[in-house]
Amino acid sequence: MWTRQHKQRNTGRLIVPSLCVAFLAYFGFHAYHGEFGINSKYQLEAQTVALQGQLDAIKARRMEFERRVRLMHEGTLEKDMLDEQARKALNLSQADEITIMLPASVK
């Protein structure tokens, strides 16, 4: 009958838990920092808010342009709008006039 002469090692019991910890750490890291992770979700939400602000500004500017175009429409041509556009295009004014040109965003 044979007997064992060496002490049993505890390292065999640590292999499976250490592999599980490594596995969970790897997937946990990528769940947070990966392309579709939690951190990316917050970055996309911040980008969505910024782009929505830009979209709102562009829509407001477009509505202002559409309003100005409606004023210059053939049936409803306003003389003030025509005068303003002519002065802006030709850069002309009378000697006794004071002209104050406001940028489009102020109006």
Side-chain angles (χ1 to χ4, degrees):
M1 179 178 210
W2 296 92
T3 60
R4 292 186 180 180
Q5 298 295 324
H6 64 292
K7 183 179 172 184
Q8 239 182 358
R9 298 181 185 142
N10 291 333
T11 56
R13 285 189 253 167
L14 295 176
I15 291 174
V16 172
S18 62
L19 287 175
C20 288
V21 166
F23 180 80
L24 290 174
Y26 175 80
F27 284 105
F29 176 81
H30 287 290
Y32 186 77
H33 292 288
E35 183 179 352
F36 301 107
I38 297 168
N39 193 24
S40 296
K41 175 186 171 188
Y42 294 132
Q43 289 175 350
L44 286 174
E45 287 175 354
Q47 185 179 11
T48 301
V49 168
L51 290 175
Q52 186 65 41
Q54 288 180 356
L55 178 64
D56 293 341
I58 290 171
K59 281 184 178 180
R61 189 170 177 202
R62 179 181 175 174
M63 289 179 69
E64 176 64 23
F65 284 144
E66 287 176 354
R67 183 190 67 80
R68 291 173 64 94
V69 167
R70 263 187 271 123
L71 290 175
M72 292 175 54
H73 195 273
E74 187 176 323
T76 61
L77 187 64
E78 290 195 16
K79 298 198 187 305
D80 290 335
M81 178 61 76
L82 182 63
D83 185 50
E84 177 186 341
Q85 293 296 321
R87 287 177 189 275
K88 189 180 284 187
L90 300 173
N91 199 18
L92 294 174
S93 65
Q94 301 286 334
D96 60 345
E97 291 181 335
I98 297 174
T99 305
I100 301 172
M101 295 293 211
L102 298 174
S105 62
V106 175
K107 292 182 180 180

